[in-house]
């Protein structure tokens, strides 16, 4: 029959095993949770690539996306597949998941052995020691680690969402600058033809030197603006390439659409209250989790203010003369010099700072959301104004001038000057359209990830058309 102390040890061990029932260190569930949080912005599930098979699948998906012109949605998918910061965020979830699993582990017991001789008598002492206070606080530690894991999920979701929206803005900028470059190339070609015609008419004596000089100046200015547009286009494309994580042949294979998407039929409504929209922001949710974690930490600090070490040992002693002894030892730290008040005061100060930080984030989120929606709506109205009012009016004026030119009421240079005004209005519409799509991404960021860049500011569209030749 099993001795009584062995039964007790068995029961104690079983109890410790139950307490040590721990969470898995596999981060797959956490990655799925982040995928759900970012699905609306990324349009695809997230995967942590950790082996050759996953790497091959990733490369195949990249090649498939690059096989045709990359629109905004495809650009975001490329960034999710190729940008290493996504993998860094997902790997960070593995760290938080492992810390949660570690929080459920019981610290290994300590075994000690001693051999003591007194004359002919030899004593053997054996002891098993375990941190009892650490065992009792396992549920508390697990709760804190679980909150840290939830916070890590939100941080990863925020970083990935911000990357997706930054990629959308970079794609808009790359396509718009390319479109502007093509437009300025057409303007430069027309200015060159106009300058050559002016030169011939001057040589024939049918043109004043002043008018000739104006045409040459316009051509020179158009050439300079085209050079700047080409540089801006290269810079924008490379910025997008970096976000997509493309290099070498992949970067060379990137083909962008010729033009930006059209303006939506109707703007997004400002649905729901500001407070409801703000509740979705990742940074505000993280502030709440941090508050909860600090509250738990503050409670733990108060609970362990006087006693922060409690160890229990099982002792057994035998001698060569048949003497046997067994018993228990309890080690308790005496709060003689340190009553824990400084530790509690530190925890209270940290918690108070976190409360004010969370309140500040809430106020800032409300303001940024209102400001971002105002910018979104203003850019939408501006782009629609150019599309429905300015461009049609310029087109009607151009048609009237063609009739006047056919009737020999105006000359060819008056007709060319009017054409410049018309393409200038089209370019202003393109600039307004680019600003609208960037404002759309900023609004999405203000609702989900956190503060959009340059929140509160708004750049209105301006035409980069070269200065008119004075006609």
């Amino acid at each position: 029959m099993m001795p009584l102390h062995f039964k007790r040890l068995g029961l104690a061990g079983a109890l410790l095993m139950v307490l040590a029932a721990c969470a898995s260190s596999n981060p797959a569930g956490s990655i799925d949770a982040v995928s759900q949080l970012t699905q609306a912005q990324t349009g695809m599930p997230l995967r942590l690539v950790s082996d050759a098979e996953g790497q091959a699948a990733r490369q195949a998906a990249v090649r498939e996306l690059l096989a045709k012109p990359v629109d905004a949605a495809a650009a975001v998918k490329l960034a999710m597949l190729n940008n290493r910061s996504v993998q860094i965020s997902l790997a960070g979830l593995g760290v938080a998941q492992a810390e949660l699993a570690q929080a459920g582990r019981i610290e290994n017991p300590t075994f000690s052995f001693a051999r003591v001789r007194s004359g002919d008598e030899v004593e053997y002492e054996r002891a098993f020691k375990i941190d009892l206070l650490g065992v009792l606080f396992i549920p508390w530690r697990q709760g804190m680690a679980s909150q840290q894991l939830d916070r890590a999920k939100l941080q990863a979701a925020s970083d990935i969402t911000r990357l997706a929206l930054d990629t959308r803005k970079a794609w808009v900028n790359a396509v718009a600058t390319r479109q502007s470059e093509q437009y300025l190339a057409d303007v430069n070609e027309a200015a060159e033809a106009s300058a050559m015609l002016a030169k011939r008419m001057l040589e024939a004596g049918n043109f004043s030197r002043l008018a000739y000089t104006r045409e040459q100046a316009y051509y020179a200015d158009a050439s300079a603006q085209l050079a700047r547009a080409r540089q801006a286009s290269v810079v924008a494309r490379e910025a997008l390439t970096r976000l997509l994580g493309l290099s070498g042949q992949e970067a060379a294979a990137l083909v962008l659409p010729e033009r930006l998407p059209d303006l939506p039929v109707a703007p997004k409504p400002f649905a729901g209250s500001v407070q409801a929209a703000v509740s979705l922001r990742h940074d505000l949710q993280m502030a709440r989790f941090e508050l909860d974690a600090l509250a738990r930490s503050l409670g733990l600090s108060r609970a362990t203010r006087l006693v922060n070490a409690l160890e229990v040992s099982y002792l057994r002693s035998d001698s060569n003369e048949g003497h046997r002894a067994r018993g228990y030892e309890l080690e308790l730290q005496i709060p003689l010099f340190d009553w824990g008040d400084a530790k509690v005061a530190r925890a209270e100060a940290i918690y108070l700072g976190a409360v004010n930080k969370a309140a500040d984030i809430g106020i800032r989120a409300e303001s940024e959301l209102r400001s971002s929606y105002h910018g979104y709506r203003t850019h939408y109205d501006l782009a629609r104004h150019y599309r429905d009012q300015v461009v049609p009016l310029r087109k009607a004026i151009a048609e009237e001038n063609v009739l006047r030119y056919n009737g020999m009421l105006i000359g060819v240079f008056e007709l060319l000057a009017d054409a410049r005004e018309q393409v200038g209005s089209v370019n202003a519409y393109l600039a307004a359209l680019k600003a609208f799509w960037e404002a759309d991404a900023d609004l999405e960021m203000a609702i989900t990830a956190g503060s959009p860049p340059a929140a509160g500011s708004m750049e209105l569209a301006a035409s980069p058309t070269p200065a008119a030749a004075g006609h």
Side-chain angles (χ1 to χ4, degrees):
M1 183 176 178
M2 183 180 295
L4 181 59
H5 65 277
F6 282 124
K7 290 183 178 180
R8 290 173 178 172
L9 284 175
L11 289 174
L15 178 61
L16 294 179
M17 292 297 291
V18 171
L19 289 173
C22 53
S24 170
S25 58
N26 188 344
S30 299
I31 293 175
D32 290 342
V34 173
S35 284
Q36 293 178 1
L37 288 173
T38 58
Q39 180 74 29
Q41 286 75 37
T42 63
M44 62 176 294
L46 302 174
R47 292 288 180 269
L48 179 62
V49 178
S50 57
D51 53 22
E53 183 180 356
Q55 184 71 8
R58 183 194 65 78
Q59 292 175 344
V62 169
R63 286 194 296 271
E64 182 180 354
L65 289 170
L66 290 175
K68 51 188 177 182
V70 175
D71 59 12
V76 172
K77 290 181 179 178
L78 276 171
M80 295 301 108
L81 290 167
N82 240 13
N83 194 303
R84 299 298 178 180
S85 65
V86 175
Q87 294 298 311
I88 293 173
S89 297
L90 298 183
L93 292 177
V95 174
Q97 186 73 45
E99 289 177 349
L100 173 60
Q102 184 63 40
R105 302 289 197 276
I106 297 176
E107 188 176 350
N108 289 329
T110 303
F111 171 74
S112 64
F113 174 80
R115 180 177 182 275
V116 180
R117 174 184 290 274
S118 176
D120 295 334
E121 184 179 6
V122 179
E123 292 186 359
Y124 301 94
E125 294 183 359
R126 298 172 291 277
F128 284 94
K129 183 183 296 183
I130 189 168
D131 181 7
L132 183 59
L133 199 62
V135 174
L136 295 177
F137 278 106
I138 281 180
W140 208 320
R141 291 205 312 264
Q142 282 184 313
M144 293 177 64
S146 178
Q147 287 185 330
Q148 289 299 323
L149 176 60
D150 291 338
R151 189 180 184 281
K153 292 177 189 174
L154 284 172
Q155 183 65 59
S158 177
D159 293 342
I160 292 171
T161 300
R162 192 173 288 275
L163 172 63
L165 297 176
D166 284 343
T167 302
R168 275 180 52 189
K169 291 182 67 176
W171 179 88
V172 167
N173 192 35
V175 174
T177 52
R178 173 61 180 159
Q179 213 172 343
S180 178
E181 178 192 350
Q182 293 172 344
Y183 153 74
L184 287 175
D186 293 340
V187 171
N188 186 64
E189 186 177 354
E192 182 181 12
S194 178
M196 292 181 64
L197 179 60
K199 181 180 179 183
R200 291 173 184 170
M201 293 183 68
L202 177 67
E203 292 172 350
N206 297 327
F207 213 49
S208 69
R209 180 160 293 279
L210 176 59
Y212 162 77
T213 306
R214 283 174 176 165
E215 292 299 329
Q216 297 301 319
Y218 179 77
Y219 175 46
D221 186 54
S223 298
Q225 295 228 20
L226 177 59
R228 281 195 287 268
R230 284 174 175 162
Q231 170 63 13
S233 178
V234 170
V235 170
R237 180 184 171 91
E238 290 302 323
L240 175 63
T241 301
R242 288 193 293 273
L243 286 173
L244 301 184
L246 301 177
S247 63
Q249 295 182 348
E250 290 179 340
L254 176 63
V255 177
L256 298 175
E258 295 292 329
R259 55 195 298 270
L260 290 173
D262 293 332
L263 200 64
V265 176
K268 296 176 183 175
F270 196 46
S273 65
V274 173
Q275 289 76 13
V278 164
S279 65
L280 301 174
R281 281 183 45 142
H282 298 155
D283 57 348
L284 198 55
Q285 293 185 60
M286 281 190 286
R288 295 195 190 101
F289 276 119
E290 186 175 358
L291 267 184
D292 292 341
L294 288 173
R296 282 178 173 269
S297 177
L298 177 59
L300 182 61
S301 297
R302 287 170 174 165
T304 59
R305 175 178 180 177
L306 300 178
V307 179
N308 58 13
L310 177 61
E311 295 181 340
V312 177
S313 302
Y314 171 75
L315 306 175
R316 181 167 180 175
S317 174
D318 300 309
S319 70
N320 58 347
E321 296 182 355
H323 298 154
R324 289 185 177 180
R326 62 178 65 91
Y328 301 91
E329 179 182 7
L330 182 66
E331 290 186 12
L332 177 65
Q333 190 178 69
I334 301 174
L336 185 59
F337 304 108
D338 183 4
W339 289 79
D341 52 339
K343 184 172 67 174
V344 173
R346 177 180 180 276
E348 290 176 343
I350 293 175
Y351 180 76
L352 184 60
V355 169
N356 286 282
K357 179 181 177 183
D360 179 67
I361 292 175
I363 293 172
R364 184 156 42 86
E366 287 187 11
S367 174
E368 289 172 353
L369 190 58
R370 290 191 294 266
S371 174
S372 297
Y373 185 78
H374 184 269
Y376 165 85
R377 187 55 196 262
T378 300
H379 284 301
Y380 179 87
D381 292 341
L382 271 175
R384 186 170 59 181
H385 174 73
Y386 274 105
R387 185 194 63 184
D388 298 343
Q389 301 292 329
V390 178
V391 174
L393 286 173
R394 282 293 178 189
K395 183 179 179 182
I397 292 172
E399 291 173 351
E400 287 294 325
N401 276 329
V402 169
L403 294 176
R404 289 165 64 84
Y405 173 76
N406 291 337
M408 301 182 68
L409 297 176
I410 61 173
V412 63
F413 290 103
E414 285 79 3
L415 189 63
L416 288 173
D418 182 70
R420 291 167 192 156
E421 295 292 336
Q422 185 185 6
V423 294
S425 66
V426 173
N427 189 61
Y429 166 64
L430 295 178
L433 189 61
K434 168 179 175 286
F436 163 75
W437 285 115
E438 289 178 337
D440 180 64
D442 284 344
L443 175 61
E444 192 73 19
M445 190 174 293
I447 294 175
T448 56
S451 301
S457 67
M458 183 181 66
E459 293 182 3
L460 300 182
S463 170
T465 309
H471 295 280

Coordinates of all heavy atoms in Angstrom, one line a residue, residues 277-282 369 442-450:
A277 N -18.1 55.5 -34.1 CA -16.9 55.3 -35.1 C -15.6 55.2 -34.3 O -14.7 54.4 -34.7 CB -16.9 56.3 -36.1
V278 N -15.5 56.1 -33.4 CA -14.2 56.1 -32.6 C -14.0 54.8 -31.9 O -12.8 54.4 -31.7 CB -14.3 57.3 -31.6 CG1 -13.2 57.2 -30.6 CG2 -14.1 58.6 -32.4
S279 N -15.0 54.2 -31.4 CA -14.9 52.9 -30.7 C -14.2 51.9 -31.5 O -13.7 50.9 -30.9 CB -16.2 52.4 -30.2 OG -17.0 52.1 -31.3
L280 N -14.2 52.0 -32.8 CA -13.5 51.0 -33.7 C -12.0 51.2 -33.8 O -11.3 50.3 -34.3 CB -14.2 51.0 -35.1 CG -15.7 50.7 -35.1 CD1 -16.2 50.9 -36.5 CD2 -15.9 49.3 -34.6
R281 N -11.5 52.4 -33.4 CA -10.1 52.7 -33.6 C -9.2 51.8 -32.8 O -9.5 51.6 -31.6 CB -9.8 54.2 -33.3 CG -10.3 55.1 -34.5 CD -10.0 56.5 -34.2 NE -8.6 56.8 -33.7 CZ -7.9 57.8 -34.1 NH1 -8.4 58.6 -35.1 NH2 -6.8 58.1 -33.6
H282 N -8.2 51.3 -33.5 CA -7.3 50.4 -32.8 C -6.5 51.0 -31.7 O -6.3 50.4 -30.6 CB -6.3 49.8 -33.8 CG -7.0 49.0 -34.9 ND1 -6.5 48.8 -36.2 CD2 -8.2 48.4 -35.0 CE1 -7.3 48.1 -36.9 NE2 -8.4 47.8 -36.2
L369 N -11.5 62.3 -36.7 CA -12.5 61.7 -37.5 C -13.4 62.8 -38.1 O -13.7 62.8 -39.3 CB -13.4 60.8 -36.6 CG -14.4 60.0 -37.4 CD1 -13.7 59.1 -38.3 CD2 -15.2 59.1 -36.4
D442 N -7.2 58.5 -46.0 CA -7.0 59.1 -44.7 C -8.3 58.9 -43.8 O -8.1 58.7 -42.6 CB -6.8 60.6 -44.8 CG -5.3 60.9 -45.3 OD1 -4.5 59.9 -45.2 OD2 -5.1 62.0 -45.8
L443 N -9.5 59.0 -44.4 CA -10.7 58.8 -43.6 C -10.8 57.4 -43.1 O -11.1 57.1 -41.9 CB -11.9 59.1 -44.4 CG -13.3 58.9 -43.8 CD1 -13.4 59.7 -42.5 CD2 -14.4 59.1 -44.8
E444 N -10.4 56.4 -43.9 CA -10.4 55.0 -43.5 C -9.4 54.8 -42.4 O -9.7 54.1 -41.4 CB -10.0 54.2 -44.7 CG -10.3 52.7 -44.5 CD -11.8 52.3 -44.5 OE1 -12.6 53.1 -45.1 OE2 -12.1 51.3 -44.0
M445 N -8.3 55.5 -42.4 CA -7.3 55.4 -41.4 C -7.8 56.0 -40.1 O -7.6 55.4 -39.0 CB -6.0 56.0 -41.8 CG -4.8 55.7 -40.9 SD -3.3 56.4 -41.5 CE -3.0 55.4 -43.0
A446 N -8.5 57.1 -40.2 CA -9.0 57.8 -39.0 C -10.1 56.9 -38.3 O -10.2 57.0 -37.1 CB -9.6 59.1 -39.3
I447 N -10.8 56.1 -39.1 CA -11.8 55.3 -38.5 C -11.2 54.0 -37.9 O -11.7 53.5 -36.8 CB -12.9 54.9 -39.6 CG1 -13.6 56.1 -40.0 CG2 -13.9 53.9 -39.1 CD1 -14.6 55.9 -41.2
T448 N -10.2 53.5 -38.5 CA -9.7 52.1 -38.1 C -8.3 52.2 -37.3 O -8.3 51.9 -36.1 CB -9.6 51.2 -39.3 OG1 -8.7 51.9 -40.2 CG2 -10.9 51.0 -39.9
A449 N -7.3 52.5 -38.0 CA -5.9 52.3 -37.5 C -5.6 53.4 -36.5 O -5.0 53.1 -35.4 CB -4.9 52.3 -38.6
G450 N -5.9 54.6 -36.7 CA -5.5 55.7 -35.8 C -5.3 57.0 -36.5 O -5.9 57.2 -37.6

